[in-house]
Amino acid sequence: MGRPAKPLLVAPSERTQLESMARSQSLPAALARRAQMILCMADGETNSSVAQRFGYSRPTVTLWRTRYRERGIAGLHNELKPGRPRRATDEQIALMINKALGSQPKGRTHWSRRSLADETGLSTTTVHRYMTLFGLQPHRSKSFKLSNDPFFIEKVRDIVGLYLNPPEHALVLCVDEKSQVQALQRTQPMLPMGLGYVEGVTHDYVRHGTTTLFAALDIANGTVITQCKPKHRHQEFLAFLRHVEAQVPSTLDVHLICDNYATHKHPRVRAWLARRPRFHLHFTPTYSSWLNQVERWFALITNQAIRRGSFDSVPDLKRKINAFVEHYNQHPRPFRWTATADSIFEKLARLCKVINGTEH
């Protein structure tokens, strides 16, 4: 067994930095994994269990543990390789980084490698190297939207509670509709994939019409109940609820997770639910459809059956959707929800702290 390793002590300030590195998507993946390993070992995990979790050998884990103990976070970076001494000074690199972070080029919204090189006098290769090293990607952006729902906290706790601790003798279904699914027919036959080249499709198409896909995802086993409707009014939603009622056992309560679309709150829908006390509606907060797991399933069917398909009519589109659903339900895989309500609130707090004080 050998001697047990000495406890790995991490200062609170360094722990915060390590946690930021561990969840970063812009830093090199190897550096993020090293930060994750250090955090695990700081929490008391052995070198062997960390090696097994991350798929490394035990000597590799021991190496990074030793380097962190001796040099701190700087020890997690790769050693400098031999070669020609760098020509760019620390001041030039700091100027380039500060320009990329704190300013915009004239007449444009973001910097590029060449524009930064022209502005700072460095070569494009040097700019690219240090932008990669520091995880700077000015050419990329990601969208976000903060909810303005006054009951945001209560609704998040309600829905996350259903995911993590579903009630007994009950069924939890994530319900939504994917409207305006287009039956697009490519104007020319597709070029099949071959050795050395990808599948080819024409950029133009003939639009034969649309359908609305209603879906109810069972979070316990991953199966999906679906129906295609020509529209997405409250009449179609009521018809789908009746279809769901016929599909689920009558002895179980049914918890439906829906978004705030007006159709879901129509008086006739409320009256139908009031006559069926075993049905319970749970609404996601405004601008928070990411809480509804069926949205992930919609992305799945879009990527695997709809986006690259060619359909000569709406009935053809419906047949192929139903074929995908039938095959999917034969081998369902439920999505694993791991985020707690508190972790979601902590992430939102970090986001609000970053955007606080900006121009907008």
Side-chain angles (χ1 to χ4, degrees):
M1 297 294 293
R3 293 181 300 175
K6 295 180 180 179
L8 188 63
L9 302 178
V10 177
S13 58
E14 288 198 349
R15 175 176 284 274
T16 302
Q17 190 173 351
L18 285 170
E19 290 174 348
S20 177
M21 293 169 59
R23 62 176 175 263
S24 174
Q25 298 180 354
S26 58
L27 292 178
L31 185 59
R33 283 195 297 271
R34 292 165 196 166
Q36 294 167 10
M37 290 193 297
I38 295 300
L39 289 172
C40 291
M41 289 184 282
D43 292 336
E45 288 196 38
T46 63
N47 292 2
S48 300
S49 63
V50 172
Q52 184 176 5
R53 173 187 293 192
F54 291 92
Y56 290 135
S57 65
R58 185 174 175 179
T60 300
V61 175
T62 304
L63 168 67
W64 294 114
R65 183 185 187 119
T66 303
R67 287 183 57 171
Y68 177 78
R69 182 183 290 115
E70 294 175 350
R71 286 178 273 177
I73 293 178
L76 300 182
H77 294 268
N78 293 324
E79 296 283 357
L80 293 176
K81 298 180 180 179
R84 185 186 68 183
R86 64 184 176 96
R87 299 179 180 178
T89 65
D90 292 342
E91 289 75 15
Q92 289 176 305
I93 296 171
L95 175 63
M96 185 269 292
I97 297 299
N98 289 330
K99 277 194 171 294
L101 292 175
S103 64
Q104 291 180 343
K106 293 182 180 179
R108 284 178 284 180
T109 58
H110 59 276
W111 293 98
S112 65
R113 287 183 299 170
R114 289 181 176 82
S115 59
L116 272 174
D118 293 339
E119 183 73 16
T120 59
L122 300 173
S123 67
T124 55
T125 303
T126 300
V127 171
H128 174 67
R129 182 185 304 118
Y130 286 101
M131 288 177 67
T132 303
L133 178 64
F134 287 97
L136 294 177
Q137 299 176 331
H139 63 289
R140 295 183 60 192
S141 66
K142 61 180 181 180
S143 60
F144 71 96
K145 178 68 176 180
L146 295 179
S147 175
N148 57 4
D149 196 312
F151 299 101
F152 175 78
I153 294 178
E154 292 82 357
K155 291 181 178 180
V156 169
R157 291 196 183 279
D158 178 35
I159 294 175
V160 173
L162 288 175
Y163 290 156
L164 297 180
N165 297 293
E168 296 182 357
H169 309 295
L171 202 63
V172 180
L173 301 177
C174 297
V175 179
D176 202 359
E177 60 271 344
K178 182 177 177 62
S179 60
Q180 300 295 310
V181 184
Q182 302 183 81
L184 304 180
Q185 183 182 20
R186 303 293 172 177
T187 57
Q188 297 177 7
M190 297 184 182
L191 296 176
M193 178 183 64
L195 299 177
Y197 55 90
V198 299
E199 179 185 76
V201 296
T202 58
H203 68 276
D204 56 338
Y205 50 80
V206 177
R207 186 173 181 269
H208 293 291
T210 63
T211 187
T212 296
L213 173 61
F214 289 82
L217 173 71
D218 186 345
I219 69 167
N221 57 26
T223 57
V224 185
I225 303 171
T226 61
Q227 263 193 342
C228 288
K229 300 287 186 181
K231 298 180 180 180
H232 51 98
R233 304 168 301 174
H234 75 274
Q235 294 93 326
E236 285 75 22
F237 183 60
L238 269 176
F240 180 65
L241 288 181
R242 297 188 184 99
H243 178 65
V244 170
E245 183 182 28
Q247 296 292 320
V248 302
S250 59
T251 57
L252 297 178
D253 284 353
V254 182
H255 294 264
L256 304 176
I257 298 175
C258 303
D259 61 17
N260 290 274
Y261 187 46
T263 295
H264 303 157
K265 300 179 179 180
H266 194 276
R268 291 187 178 179
V269 174
R270 293 182 180 273
W272 187 89
L273 292 170
R275 295 192 298 269
R276 291 161 177 81
R278 74 187 187 105
F279 277 78
H280 310 273
L281 237 60
H282 304 263
F283 292 106
T284 60
T286 308
Y287 306 127
S288 301
S289 58
W290 46 269
L291 270 174
N292 199 333
Q293 291 191 38
V294 76
E295 297 290 349
R296 184 64 194 87
W297 186 83
F298 281 148
L300 200 66
I301 189 173
T302 300
N303 291 332
Q304 298 184 5
I306 297 176
R307 178 173 290 130
R308 288 170 57 176
S310 183
F311 315 99
D312 56 20
S313 63
V314 172
D316 181 39
L317 170 62
K318 292 180 180 179
R319 282 193 300 270
K320 292 178 179 177
I321 288 176
N322 292 333
F324 175 87
V325 173
E326 181 180 358
H327 181 268
Y328 181 87
N329 283 336
Q330 292 175 0
H331 310 280
R333 294 184 62 184
F335 301 116
R336 184 184 176 192
W337 186 275
T338 59
T340 63
D342 289 337
S343 69
I344 293 173
F345 299 147
E346 290 172 2
K347 185 174 182 179
L348 288 174
R350 291 194 299 268
L351 177 61
C352 292
K353 185 177 180 180
V354 171
I355 66 176
N356 186 32
T358 59
E359 295 180 3
H360 303 285

